[in-house]
Each structure stands twice: as structure tokens, then as C-alpha cells.
């Protein structure tokens, strides 16, 4: 009895998924609640589980796909009435797993809550202490950064001197794609949704050119202006009208890496593209991909990107929201273009 009294008990604030949606996510689709109190004690012997305190959570567009009652995808839908799940950085509080000890910092899939019990550890990775911010392990050194790395080098097959278009270029993935392309010796243009982001791309992230697609009445003409000789590589994060315009402006043997479709606000009623005939006449290779297809390259990615970062050859922009209470607005803001850089929620201080 005396030992039980020593177990620390904490409230566990959570972000609950209220139910399947159509169209653009709204703040009311999520609910911040104080869940059941949680005992900060070791998981049962033999479970291999560990208890973590969540420090940073990642807001990512792919999560929109898990908010519909659709099971024919690479990830299952969220469970209504349960906390959202996503990538995060956490600190181990207690553990029945010899690979993850109390005090360890880890990145991986966790719940949108203050404390989570991690039972499936395949995607959990211990963070080696260094002078890089912990939050970067859900951005630059996490899934978005690796998506940029794998998509650009493995899918786009870039060559020095080629012309590269990146859409959603100031976001979590696009900002690194553009910088990697510059380091590779490419000419790089980014599209984004505000004059603030245009300035960021040109003056902080080192893009050759950038434009606000909302100010362009004719996207095809805009791309012709920035790529008079055509586009070799289009790294597509948005789909829709930008993809259609890019198809018309691609060079022969151009490559399109299809990373995201954030323009498709209603995934159950997708919009078609009109200019696919260009795939034939220009012999364009257009390929969708998941970063998990290339996970064997992750150690090499970390080595290269950490080296670039420490040498000051790349920078990374975060949009940090404070507290779980801010999570619904932060997530919804992704689909309204409100975030500047990688959207992160700080749940607790280190």
C-alpha cells in the first residue's frame, strides 16, 4: 500500500477526434478534453511498452486522409472519440522496454495528449543528444525532412543545372526540397500563398525565385515566365490547378514527384486534371511516393542533413504553437495556408 501511494498521478489532457468529416477540417472536428487521470508507473512486466511525456507534436497534411471513413489506404482512419495520433517528440517516463529507458528522448508515432503509452515501437527512434533543437525531429530530421530528401533524390533523379519547381514551398517539406535542389546546383522556383512567404523563400531559404499563386490569374503563364525553357522537375505538394499548369510547362523527359494533394479539400469528391496528355508527348515520368518506401536510406539522410545544418548550408523554419489547447486551430490552419514553415505544437517544455 505504501508503494502505491508513491505512484505519481497526473491529469492527461487530450485532443479527441469527434467523427469522420467531409471537406476542409474545422476546429469543431476536434475537442480538447481532460482525459482519465494517468499513473506514471512502469507498464506491466513483459509488455515491452513504455510511458512517455509528449513534448512536441507534428501537424501534417496526411492526417486529413485519416479523418474519413476510408480503409483502402496505407494508414487506417482515426477512431472517433479517441485522441488523434501523429509524429511527435517525447521523453520516456517509465518503461518495460530495455531499448527505451526513463529519461530517453524519442521520436515516433504518439497520441495527441500529454502522456501516451507506446505499445508498438517499430516507428520509435531514440534521439541522440546534440545541439539541434528537439522539435526538429518532427520536421527537418523527421518525416517531412526525410520525405523531401527521398522524394528529391530518389524520385526526381536530379542533375546539376536542371530547373526545379516546388509548390507549397515554404511548408515542412517544400522548404527543404528547395534548399537541397540549390545545393545540388539547380535553378529553383517556389510557389506559395502570401507575400511574406515569397520574401522568406527568396531571402532566407535561398530560392532563385518565388511567387504568390493567389496573385496569378493564369498559372500556366506564370510558370512560363519563370521557366521560359520549361521545367525539368516539379515537386508537387498541392495537385489541382498547379499540377495542371506544370504539365503544360514540363520539358521532354521531365519528372514529377507527387508528394501531396493539399488542394483537394474534399477527398471524397476529387477534382480531375486536364493536361495529362503531356505525359505522352513529353515522355514525363510522374510518380507518387511515400517516405516509408525509402526508410533504408534514413541513416544516410540524417548524416547528410545534420551536416548541412551544422555547416549553415540549410536553415529550417518552424511555426510553433504553444499548448495542446492550440492544436485544433494549428491543424486546421494547415489547410488554410496560415502556417509559415513547419507547423509544430509544443505540449510541454523539455
Amino acid at each position: 500500500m505504501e508503494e502505491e501511494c508513491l505512484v505519481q498521478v497526473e491529469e492527461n489532457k487530450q485532443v479527441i477526434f469527434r467523427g469522420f468529416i467531409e471537406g476542409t477540417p474545422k476546429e469543431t472536428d476536434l475537442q480538447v478534453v481532460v482525459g482519465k487521470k494517468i499513473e506514471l508507473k512502469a507498464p506491466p512486466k513483459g509488455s515491452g511498452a513504455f510511458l512517455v511525456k509528449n513534448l512536441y507534436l507534428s501537424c501534417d497534411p496526411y492526417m486529413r486522409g485519416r479523418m474519413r471513413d476510408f480503409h483502402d489506404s496505407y494508414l487506417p482512419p482515426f477512431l472517433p472519440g479517441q485522441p488523434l495520433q501523429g509524429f511527435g517528440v517525447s521523453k520516456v517516463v517509465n518503461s518495460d522496454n530495455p531499448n527505451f529507458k526513463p529519461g530517453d528522448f524519442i521520436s515516433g508515432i504518439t497520441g495527441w495528449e500529454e502522456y501516451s503509452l507506446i505499445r508498438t515501437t517499430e516507428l520509435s527512434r531514440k534521439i541522440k543528444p546534440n545541439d539541434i533543437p528537439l522539435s526538429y525531429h518532427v520536421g527537418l530530421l523527421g518525416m517531412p525532412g526525410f520525405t523531401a530528401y527521398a522524394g528529391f533524390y530518389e524520385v526526381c533523379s536530379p542533375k546539376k543545372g536542371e530547373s526545379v519547381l516546388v509548390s507549397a514551398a515554404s511548408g515542412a517539406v517544400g522548404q527543404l526540397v528547395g534548399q537541397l535542389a540549390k545545393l545540388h546546383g539547380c535553378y529553383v522556383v517556389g510557389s506559395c500563398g502570401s507575400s511574406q512567404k515569397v520574401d522568406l523563400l527568396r531571402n532566407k531559404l535561398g530560392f532563385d525565385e518565388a511567387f504568390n499563386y493567389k496573385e496569378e490569374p493564369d498559372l500556366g503563364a506564370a510558370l512560363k515566365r519563370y521557366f521560359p525553357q520549361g521545367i525539368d522537375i516539379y515537386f508537387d505538394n498541392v495537385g489541382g490547378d498547379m499540377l495542371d499548369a506544370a504539365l503544360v510547362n514540363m520539358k521532354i523527359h521531365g519528372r514529377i514527384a507527387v508528394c501531396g494533394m493539399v488542394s483537394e479539400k474534399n477527398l471524397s469528391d476529387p477534382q480531375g486534371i486536364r493536361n495529362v496528355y503531356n505525359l505522352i508527348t513529353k515522355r514525363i515520368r510522374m510518380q507518387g511516393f511515400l517516405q516509408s518506401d525509402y526508410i533504408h536510406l534514413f541513416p544516410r539522410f540524417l548524416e547528410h542533413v545534420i551536416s548541412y545544418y551544422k555547416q549553415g548550408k540549410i536553415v529550417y523554419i518552424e511555426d510553433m504553437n504553444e499548448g495542446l489547447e492550440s492544436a485544433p486551430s494549428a491543424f486546421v490552419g494547415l489547410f488554410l495556408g496560415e502556417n509559415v514553415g513547419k507547423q509544430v505544437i509544443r505540449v510541454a517544455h523539455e
Side-chain angles (χ1 to χ4, degrees), residues 220-233:
L223 295 183
K224 185 71 175 174
R225 189 166 75 241
Y226 289 107
F227 298 96
Q229 306 303 316
I231 302 165
D232 292 294
I233 291 170

Side-chain angles (χ1 to χ4, degrees), residues 149-171:
Y149 182 90
F152 181 64
Y153 290 118
E154 300 299 313
V155 180
C156 296
S157 305
K159 301 179 187 69
K160 185 177 179 180
E162 289 192 315
S163 297
V164 178
L165 170 65
V166 185
S167 54
S170 69

Side-chain angles (χ1 to χ4, degrees), residues 214-261:
K214 295 177 182 176
E215 295 179 348
E216 299 291 346
D218 184 335
L219 288 176
L223 295 183
K224 185 71 175 174
R225 189 166 75 241
Y226 289 107
F227 298 96
Q229 306 303 316
I231 302 165
D232 292 294
I233 291 170
Y234 174 36
F235 197 101
D236 184 20
N237 289 305
V238 301
D241 292 339
M242 188 65 74
L243 175 57
D244 243 343
L247 281 165
V248 174
N249 282 277
M250 297 298 293
K251 287 184 183 177
I252 290 174
H253 298 303
R255 286 88 71 206
I256 301 175
V258 184
C259 178
M261 291 274 165

